[in-house]
Amino acid sequence: MTRLALAALTGAAALAALPALAHDFDVEEAQAAVAGLIGEEYMDAAELPMSVTAVVAHLEELGYTEIEEFRVEDGVYEIEATDPEGEEVEIDLDPVTGEIMESEED
């Protein structure tokens, strides 16, 4: 099985857990954007980008809530959420490591 197919299956299976997480965005659209990124950018890479479910869980662990938007722009995850201080922010997240590259008020 190719890595792309495995990533798609893993992402599809993980979607079952997503409704329990705090989000208010189109899950299928976000998952399609991640799948497109995997197909274009990471076909031969050793590490694949985090799934939508993993990103939401990661942000919740960091104290973010009310995830309103999830986009893939220029190979970066762009997410709108509420930060731990209660401010609405736009986060640029590294898709492989989950590192917050930039966070600014939205």
Side-chain angles (χ1 to χ4, degrees), residues 59-101:
L59 290 174
E60 286 182 330
E61 287 174 8
L62 296 174
Y64 289 86
T65 59
E66 300 178 32
I67 299 170
E68 300 286 331
E69 187 77 34
F70 188 115
R71 297 179 306 278
V72 177
E73 295 288 332
D74 299 322
V76 173
Y77 292 165
E78 291 185 0
I79 300 154
E80 293 178 16
T82 302
D83 72 10
E85 291 79 36
E87 299 293 324
E88 291 183 13
V89 294
E90 182 173 308
I91 304 161
D92 288 352
L93 193 77
D94 182 288
V96 174
T97 67
E99 176 186 350
I100 295 175
M101 301 162 51

Side-chain angles (χ1 to χ4, degrees), residues 26-43:
D26 186 324
V27 175
E28 289 180 11
E29 184 177 300
Q31 195 64 34
V34 170
L37 178 67
I38 292 169
E40 293 172 16
E41 304 285 328
Y42 292 89
M43 189 61 110

